[in-house]
Amino acid sequence: MMNQKKKTQLPLIAIILFFFIFVASTVFFNEHRFQQFHHNQDFDKITFSLNSSPPVALDRFSSCNSTVKYNGRKAEWDVHLLQSDKQREHDDMCDVFSGRWVFDNTSYPLYNESDCPYMSDQLACHKHGRPDLEYQYWRWQPHGCNLKRWNATQMWEKLRGKRLMFVGDSLNRGQWISMLCLLESVIPAEKKSITPNAPLTIFRAEEYNATIEFQWAPLLVESNSDDPVNHRLDERIMRPDSVLRHASEWKHVDILIFNSYLWWRQGPVKLSWSNQKNGVCEEADGLEAMELAMDAWANWIRSNINPMKKKVFFVTMSPTHLWSREWEAGTEGNCYNEKLPIEDERYWGSGSDLATMRMVDNVVNKLRSRISVINITQLSEYRKDGHPSIYRKFWESRTAEQLANPMSYSDCIHWCLPGVPDVWNEILFHFL
């Protein structure tokens, strides 16, 4: 009887065993096929194996073994940007970016150049010989409303227990220095400190448990120009599918202010993708490369920013004033010796590229619930008088021919402090 019972159980055990062998074989086969699929992906697909070694970090010694024309490929992100995203609404519906400059030597400047211990010699125009001071006395007046009046103590209360970080190039560094000069005077000397020049420079205010930081990231993505000091290179190389070098700091910050523009206007850029082999780079024009970098940045924002916990701002392009004929027909100068703003509210110079503006607008519009835009472009367009021109420290000595022609070496890109970047920070204060 027992033998007969054992015989009837054997087929059932065999069926169950066969089923488990079949399932295991199927899983193994599919996993093998999956690995083969990723191994045999086209060159145009960006995929990564968990077992592969990470790409070599780019630095100022990086180079391309060979260069081919950019073929138009894009990185494949895990999180895709939506074509529409509800815009974050501000309590104040006033358009603070539309207005005019009003001379105000009663309320401005908001600080003295010589009193700010963190002032940069690149921006200290009066110290370096600028004879006029009128550029310090202009207040931005929006049409139909007012900006919140600057209050350093209130700003510190908004920053209490928080990290605020500016991320970008030398123009964003100028805005960071402006913020330090606007805020540092209310902090006792023994309760504030600053780190030395580094990829991440940090100002600390102990009594507020707050930091105001600047991260040098001129292309936003990883590049061979990420050294904050040694970044003047003949060849620009970037990794268009990676922001990880910089973003490792972003995720711990409460308020982020990004900019990117100037460095994309300096000729073609070499692309070194993370899965690139044999040192082969692609070459793209500045606008194509910037769009790739903006896509990588936007993907990180989309994947990591909770707008209920963090605030993110993107500062639009800062204009240049390289050709005086654009605001005064028949002249062949630049910003040198300019002492008054442009009054024509319709003015738009060639230093602000419309194609770039449209591309940036397209990217940030997909992130509107997660970021706010500080549109400094039009209001800064009027300030042809606000640049250092020759009144700054230059690290290279000037030739006799240059000295005889000041316009030939005038800096019409950066901004004197106190000056225009203070207004950018007033607008940031308004939105915070």
Side-chain angles (χ1 to χ4, degrees), residues 78-126:
D78 293 332
V79 178
H80 295 285
L81 297 178
L82 300 177
Q83 288 304 312
S84 61
D85 196 356
K86 187 178 179 181
Q87 181 171 352
R88 181 192 293 178
E89 299 291 344
H90 295 294
D91 294 335
D92 184 356
M93 296 305 293
C94 168
D95 182 5
V96 299
F97 307 115
S98 176
R100 61 193 178 92
W101 290 95
V102 176
F103 189 79
D104 181 354
N105 61 355
T106 302
S107 305
Y108 289 77
L110 296 171
Y111 56 89
N112 292 320
E113 176 192 295
S114 60
D115 292 340
C116 180
Y118 310 110
M119 180 60 65
S120 167
D121 275 328
Q122 189 180 33
L123 312 174
C125 301
H126 184 56

Side-chain angles (χ1 to χ4, degrees), residues 166-237:
F166 292 87
V167 180
D169 57 24
S170 58
L171 289 159
N172 222 19
R173 181 166 54 201
Q175 188 177 354
W176 170 72
I177 292 170
S178 161
M179 183 65 82
L180 296 188
C181 294
L182 286 164
L183 287 175
E184 63 83 25
S185 64
V186 299
I187 307 295
E190 69 276 9
K191 299 211 175 203
K192 59 189 174 186
S193 61
I194 193 166
T195 61
N197 194 21
L200 181 64
T201 310
I202 304 173
F203 174 89
R204 289 184 173 85
E206 290 181 22
E207 62 183 284
Y208 288 95
N209 187 30
T211 62
I212 302 173
E213 309 173 29
F214 172 70
Q215 184 190 57
W216 175 259
L219 303 181
L220 295 182
V221 294
E222 181 182 340
S223 78
N224 67 338
S225 299
D226 289 339
D227 188 308
V229 178
N230 298 307
H231 50 252
R232 298 184 183 185
L233 307 172
D234 294 332
E235 184 177 68
R236 298 266 166 90
I237 305 173

Side-chain angles (χ1 to χ4, degrees), residues 123-304:
L123 312 174
C125 301
H126 184 56
K127 173 183 175 181
H128 289 278
R130 181 161 178 170
D132 65 302
L133 292 177
E134 283 78 8
Y135 67 92
Q136 299 183 6
Y137 298 141
W138 294 94
R139 170 173 54 85
W140 178 247
Q141 178 60 58
H143 294 311
C145 60
N146 296 308
L147 284 175
K148 293 177 185 175
R149 186 171 179 81
W150 175 262
N151 185 301
T153 303
Q154 287 182 14
M155 184 64 172
W156 276 120
E157 287 299 338
K158 293 175 185 290
L159 298 179
R160 185 180 288 277
K162 293 182 171 63
R163 292 178 66 184
L164 180 151
M165 183 185 291
F166 292 87
V167 180
D169 57 24
S170 58
L171 289 159
N172 222 19
R173 181 166 54 201
Q175 188 177 354
W176 170 72
I177 292 170
S178 161
M179 183 65 82
L180 296 188
C181 294
L182 286 164
L183 287 175
E184 63 83 25
S185 64
V186 299
I187 307 295
E190 69 276 9
K191 299 211 175 203
K192 59 189 174 186
S193 61
I194 193 166
T195 61
N197 194 21
L200 181 64
T201 310
I202 304 173
F203 174 89
R204 289 184 173 85
E206 290 181 22
E207 62 183 284
Y208 288 95
N209 187 30
T211 62
I212 302 173
E213 309 173 29
F214 172 70
Q215 184 190 57
W216 175 259
L219 303 181
L220 295 182
V221 294
E222 181 182 340
S223 78
N224 67 338
S225 299
D226 289 339
D227 188 308
V229 178
N230 298 307
H231 50 252
R232 298 184 183 185
L233 307 172
D234 294 332
E235 184 177 68
R236 298 266 166 90
I237 305 173
M238 76 176 213
R239 187 147 284 145
D241 52 349
S242 177
V243 296
L244 296 180
R245 172 186 286 174
H246 308 304
S248 60
E249 292 289 347
W250 304 348
K251 60 185 178 182
H252 304 298
V253 176
D254 302 285
I255 304 167
L256 285 157
I257 301 101
F258 293 94
N259 91 316
S260 191
Y261 174 61
L262 180 64
W263 281 52
W264 305 106
R265 303 278 289 167
Q266 301 179 27
V269 181
K270 302 290 180 65
L271 313 179
S272 176
W273 298 87
S274 295
N275 67 344
Q276 204 87 353
K277 303 295 183 184
N278 303 321
V280 178
C281 296
E282 295 177 311
E283 184 172 273
D285 65 39
L287 181 58
E288 291 173 324
M290 183 178 180
E291 185 172 9
L292 290 170
M294 290 294 293
D295 283 344
W297 168 81
N299 176 72
W300 186 90
I301 297 292
R302 186 85 185 172
S303 304
N304 293 275

